[in-house]
Amino acid sequence: MKRIQVVPSWSFRDSGGNQLNPQLFSLLGAIHETGKLTAATSQIGISYRHGWNLLNTWAAFFGLPLVDMQKGKGATLSALGEKLLWAEQRVLARLEPQLDSLASELNLEIHRALEGVSPLLRLHASYGYAVALLPEFSGDIQLDLQYKSAEEALASLNRGVCDVAGFHVPVNGRAGGMSDALYDTYNRHLKPRGHKIIKFITRQQGLMVKPGNPQQISGLKDLLRKEVKFINRQKDSGTRALLDELLRREGINSKKITGFADEEFTHSAVAAFVAAGMADVGMGVKAAASQFGLDFIPLSSEHYLLVCHNKTLKQEAMLRLLKSIRGEAFQQAVIKLPGYSPDCCGEVVSVDSIFTG
């Protein structure tokens, strides 16, 4: 069944009420990628003349050129052009979970209005690249996917607000980087007798740095160098909890890390922040680093898991979801994500097993 996506469209107006074409962002992105205006206009499906006029119109709007053109050397973004492009990327990355959740709600209402509605499964989950694939592979169920922090998702499960919750833990459990605080949180929400864990994927977490790693960062201790600026994740994220524990184990005082108090809310937003040159390094998954052309320094691997009540495993919607994630098509899509692996995807295990590995 067709699914609706929510895609933002930017609108710029000056003091006189003049509005300009948001197609500029696509053109800037293509110029950044190809280094040529001819190739960029061809890539986004517009004429060279239209692309040239678009750049001139926007340059007049902002009062500065967006692209530097040199005969025989192609086209490069000006400082303003780069700032505009990366600003858009950061905003998109920040909004991505909310937009996907809104799209899920919209699709749910559409499906409810149609005859022969398929089974409903409500999934609250920590945002991630693999879980974001699920709507594409859930055509025979109504998947109401809402992004929450891991603790919020687990609390929703216990309140009966959702059927399945998604969260992540370090590989090897407490020995692999799970803090006492995170252990206590999960132990409080997860019930060995009432819940079952479904293995989903394994992913790499690490430091994302500028291409070529100009600051020569090799590990967490390099974050203490004064010239190195860091961008962090928000306090209720699993990535932040993992980072805090890794810092504690290495005896690193986070207060001495420049930028530690600056936060973004997704892996891709952190990557966009680094790619824009606003920070030297950030913490996130390898897939985010690859998306933004960054280098990646692995620090830890973690399991992304799903959890549900025992009775939910017998429901038709859950059976169909399990069939989907156990299938080759879904697992091949996961393999294409850098740093992701569908290890034992769809295998049902006990709650106790996640704390030991």
Side-chain angles (χ1 to χ4, degrees):
M1 187 174 294
K2 183 180 291 185
R3 293 183 180 273
I4 304 298
Q5 289 184 310
V6 178
V7 180
S9 179
W10 311 120
S11 178
F12 284 84
R13 294 182 178 87
D14 61 17
S15 57
N18 301 308
Q19 183 172 333
L20 295 180
N21 191 338
Q23 195 174 40
L24 173 76
F25 287 114
S26 297
L27 181 58
L28 291 179
I31 291 172
H32 176 74
E33 181 179 339
T34 66
K36 294 182 179 180
L37 182 57
T38 51
T41 53
S42 175
Q43 180 174 303
I44 67 172
I46 63 175
S47 69
Y48 180 88
R49 180 186 293 272
H50 179 54
W52 179 256
N53 289 336
L54 197 61
L55 291 175
N56 286 334
T57 301
W58 277 75
F61 178 80
F62 288 109
L64 290 171
L66 305 181
V67 174
D68 295 325
M69 304 277 289
Q70 294 186 20
K71 190 173 181 179
K73 295 185 178 180
T76 58
L77 298 184
S78 68
L80 176 59
E82 286 192 353
K83 287 184 181 298
L84 283 173
L85 177 61
W86 291 120
E88 188 227 13
Q89 293 296 317
R90 294 200 312 277
V91 171
L92 283 174
R94 289 173 183 170
L95 293 177
E96 196 170 16
Q98 291 87 348
L99 293 176
D100 285 353
S101 292
L102 287 171
S104 181
E105 293 179 14
L106 179 59
N107 283 305
L108 184 61
E109 293 303 321
I110 293 172
H111 290 178
R112 283 173 174 168
L114 300 175
E115 294 183 3
V117 174
S118 49
L120 169 66
L121 190 71
R122 301 166 299 170
L123 170 59
H124 288 187
S126 174
Y127 185 78
Y129 283 79
V131 76
L133 293 173
L134 287 176
E136 299 178 37
F137 295 89
S138 306
D140 57 351
I141 66 172
Q142 297 178 78
L143 182 64
D144 182 14
L145 173 58
Q146 300 293 318
Y147 291 116
K148 312 282 185 181
S149 70
E151 185 171 8
E152 288 174 332
L154 293 172
S156 294
L157 178 68
N158 288 324
R159 294 198 311 269
V161 178
C162 67
D163 305 299
V164 184
F167 65 106
H168 38 90
V169 299
V171 170
N172 298 324
R174 301 188 76 178
M178 184 186 296
S179 66
D180 291 341
L182 188 59
Y183 171 81
D184 291 340
T185 295
Y186 288 165
N187 198 41
R188 184 169 66 253
H189 290 289
L190 296 171
K191 312 300 179 186
R193 292 186 178 182
H195 291 149
K196 280 292 188 289
I197 301 294
I198 300 98
K199 291 186 176 181
F200 187 49
I201 57 93
T202 302
R203 64 186 188 182
Q204 287 186 317
Q205 289 258 35
L207 298 177
M208 300 182 285
V209 299
K210 297 175 184 179
N213 193 6
Q215 293 284 11
Q216 296 298 299
I217 295 168
S218 61
L220 292 174
K221 291 189 183 298
D222 289 311
L223 302 184
L224 293 171
R225 287 158 41 198
K226 292 183 178 180
E227 70 274 17
V228 173
K229 185 173 181 354
F230 183 70
I231 178 64
N232 211 346
R233 284 292 304 278
Q234 79 277 19
K235 292 181 180 179
D236 64 348
S237 69
T239 298
R240 175 64 173 272
L242 174 62
L243 174 62
D244 288 345
E245 177 61 15
L246 293 176
L247 291 174
R248 186 192 67 79
R249 292 187 179 196
E250 292 201 27
I252 297 173
N253 183 352
S254 62
K255 293 181 180 179
K256 295 183 178 180
I257 297 176
T258 303
F260 194 83
D262 299 330
E263 300 176 348
E264 284 289 352
F265 288 84
T266 65
H267 296 282
S268 53
V270 169
F273 203 92
V274 175
M278 300 176 68
D280 299 300
V281 56
M283 178 84 170
V285 295
K286 186 175 182 179
S290 178
Q291 179 185 352
F292 287 89
L294 302 175
D295 288 352
F296 181 78
I297 302 162
L299 294 178
S300 178
S301 293
E302 60 183 9
H303 296 306
Y304 194 114
L305 305 168
L306 305 177
V307 58
C308 67
H309 293 286
N310 291 331
K311 61 182 180 181
T312 304
L313 287 172
K314 301 177 182 179
Q315 295 176 359
E316 183 62 26
M318 189 65 196
L319 292 172
R320 294 186 185 184
L321 179 68
L322 288 173
K323 181 179 179 181
S324 177
I325 66 175
R326 290 167 178 165
E328 183 177 355
F330 176 77
Q331 295 192 20
Q332 285 299 316
V334 171
I335 289 172
K336 292 179 181 178
L337 296 172
Y340 276 69
S341 175
D343 296 335
C344 303
C345 189
E347 180 181 337
V348 179
V349 298
S350 68
V351 168
D352 292 334
S353 67
I354 71 168
F355 297 120
T356 55

